[in-house]
Amino acid sequence: MGQTHPQMSQTHHMSSADSAVDVSIMDGSEKKFDLSLTDKVIAATGPNAHPRLAQVMPSLVRHLHDFAREVNLTVDEWTTAIELINECGRMSNDRRNETQLLCDILGLETLVDEITANIVSSASVSGTSTPSAILGPFYRHDAPLLPNGSSIVKDLTPAVPWYDQAVADSAYITGRVLSHNPLFPDMPPTPLRNAIVDVWHTAPNGLYEQQDPSQPDMNLRGRFATDAQGRYAFYALRPVAYPIPDDGPAGKFLALLDRHPHRPGHIHFIVSATGHRTLTTQIFDDRDEYIEKDSVFAVKDDLVVHFEPRERDPQAKWSLNYDFVLEAAMMGL
Ligand code: BEZ
Ligand code: FE
């Protein structure tokens, strides 16, 4: 970041008579902050402000100003941070969302996902429905609707550079989509017919198809509708660890923090059914060395899965059975 690295300050708020002045002791010398600045910024919000903004901005301004005072943020450092954010904007387009990536490496998308789940869901609190995980920037709408039992691996031939790994990691993934009704918490979940399981993951080279011109359109993506017993089934690959895009400002920031960019191997899902809260989540392969060190902090214990060796199936060397439990949506909630 900037040139100067002043020590963190210790702040002492003065008595109420001097409440507009904050004294910060650095290296034995006293620095004074005009605390009324924070109050003035908060008070500048007008009576017709957007209600949610009027609610949240006082807290944001206080945290922002307290942070700047606490770390003795200098103009150089602030300018560097502004440039980082500007660079994120310049780099973002409909194929890449660098600002979201910056939030991800700071754990903000995971935190906001958790907050949202706490607000909309009662059952996840008691651990009965499947936990959510972040969407990430690589979802595509309109993946093909495929018959159960078919494969999301497209055009795999020995000419594909990662053919051998794809064969070694070929997997048959099955499970059910179940309904949990929070009004009857002790009732076992019941199967959901016609739920949609929307799935996507990277190729063994760690790239999603839209990042990799050598992959067919919509490779390793598909949607499956559950049968009358709530079952889905498809062929895919065991997922591999991959680095989040680190050739931009988010990557530069990771390097400055001495952090790696890797995500543990995972498969993304959006599971939806009429009358139920849509679940956005990921499952994580327990073989992965990054399982405890996800660069975007999305791993949750209940989402870690174990693939079993699969016998007598020329299409798959591994199998996984995983049930998704959706929460019935309460009217008016
Ligand atoms: C992903 O899993 O696709 C992802 C999530 C956050 C940042 C980058 C990628
Ligand atoms: Fe991903």
Side-chain angles (χ1 to χ4, degrees):
M1 300 280 284
Q3 307 291 318
T4 52
H5 298 276
Q7 287 184 350
M8 303 266 279
S9 66
Q10 280 182 294
T11 57
H12 300 276
H13 292 254
M14 304 289 279
S15 66
S16 56
D18 296 318
S19 63
V21 176
D22 184 45
V23 177
S24 165
I25 301 174
M26 282 169 43
D27 302 332
S29 67
E30 287 196 347
K31 306 282 178 213
K32 291 187 180 196
F33 294 116
D34 179 1
L35 290 183
S36 70
L37 170 68
T38 304
D39 295 331
K40 279 184 207 155
V41 175
I42 291 169
T45 298
N48 298 318
H50 182 283
R52 178 64 173 153
L53 279 181
Q55 183 188 18
V56 304
M57 285 310 289
S59 175
L60 177 65
V61 170
R62 261 187 223 296
H63 282 288
L64 206 56
H65 286 206
D66 281 347
F67 160 74
R69 281 186 286 258
E70 185 184 317
V71 303
N72 281 309
L73 190 69
T74 67
V75 170
D76 270 357
E77 291 168 334
W78 172 77
T79 307
T80 307
I82 292 291
E83 186 43 40
L84 178 93
I85 293 166
N86 288 350
E87 184 58 27
C88 287
R90 282 193 289 272
M91 198 159 192
S92 296
N93 53 41
D94 56 0
R95 291 190 161 237
R96 178 156 183 169
N97 191 333
E98 192 70 12
T99 317
Q100 183 176 349
L101 208 54
L102 187 64
C103 291
D104 288 342
I105 64 175
L106 296 173
L108 191 58
E109 190 177 352
T110 288
L111 177 59
V112 169
D113 180 57
E114 187 182 22
I115 293 166
T116 307
N118 282 344
I119 291 170
V120 299
S121 163
S122 45
S124 67
V125 174
S126 58
T128 37
S129 55
T130 304
S132 62
I134 62 176
L135 177 67
F138 295 113
Y139 177 63
R140 283 185 69 188
H141 293 274
D142 304 323
L145 189 60
L146 301 171
N148 274 310
S150 61
S151 179
I152 62 171
V153 190
K154 275 185 153 182
D155 303 344
L156 184 65
T157 69
V160 172
W162 35 264
Y163 174 80
D164 288 345
Q165 196 182 338
V167 171
D169 281 343
S170 52
Y172 191 51
I173 300 178
T174 57
R176 291 173 304 164
V177 179
L178 304 170
S179 167
H180 172 79
N181 189 333
L183 288 180
F184 304 100
D186 297 329
M187 265 181 57
T190 51
L192 277 168
R193 174 192 209 136
N194 261 331
I196 300 292
V197 176
D198 193 344
V199 57
W200 69 105
H201 69 82
T202 70
N205 63 2
L207 295 172
Y208 290 94
E209 48 85 28
Q210 74 264 56
Q211 297 175 287
D212 180 4
S214 76
Q215 291 183 48
D217 189 44
M218 291 287 180
N219 192 32
L220 299 166
R221 294 176 190 273
R223 288 182 300 141
F224 298 88
T226 55
D227 67 12
Q229 283 77 46
R231 293 175 304 196
Y232 70 90
F234 60 91
Y235 286 94
L237 304 174
R238 284 185 74 171
V240 297
Y242 67 82
I244 60 171
D246 62 349
D247 55 341
K252 232 185 278 173
F253 199 47
L254 279 178
L256 285 166
L257 291 169
D258 189 21
R259 282 177 49 184
H260 70 80
H262 297 284
R263 296 216 61 210
H266 58 275
I267 303 178
H268 293 265
F269 291 93
I270 296 178
V271 185
S272 55
T274 307
H276 289 74
R277 302 212 181 280
T278 296
L279 172 70
T280 300
T281 196
Q282 305 176 24
I283 56 173
F284 298 88
D285 192 330
D286 66 355
R287 73 173 171 178
D288 201 289
E289 64 174 303
Y290 291 101
I291 201 87
E292 308 264 351
K293 317 178 264 203
D294 184 359
S295 58
V296 300
F297 309 98
V299 180
K300 293 175 182 169
D301 287 351
D302 286 353
L303 300 174
V304 176
V305 298
H306 184 68
F307 285 80
E308 299 284 354
R310 183 169 175 83
E311 311 284 337
R312 292 182 295 279
D313 182 348
Q315 271 189 272
K317 301 239 182 293
W318 300 94
S319 59
L320 173 70
N321 193 70
Y322 191 84
D323 290 345
F324 296 97
V325 183
L326 303 190
E327 188 180 330
M330 298 295 103
M331 296 294 281
L333 287 179

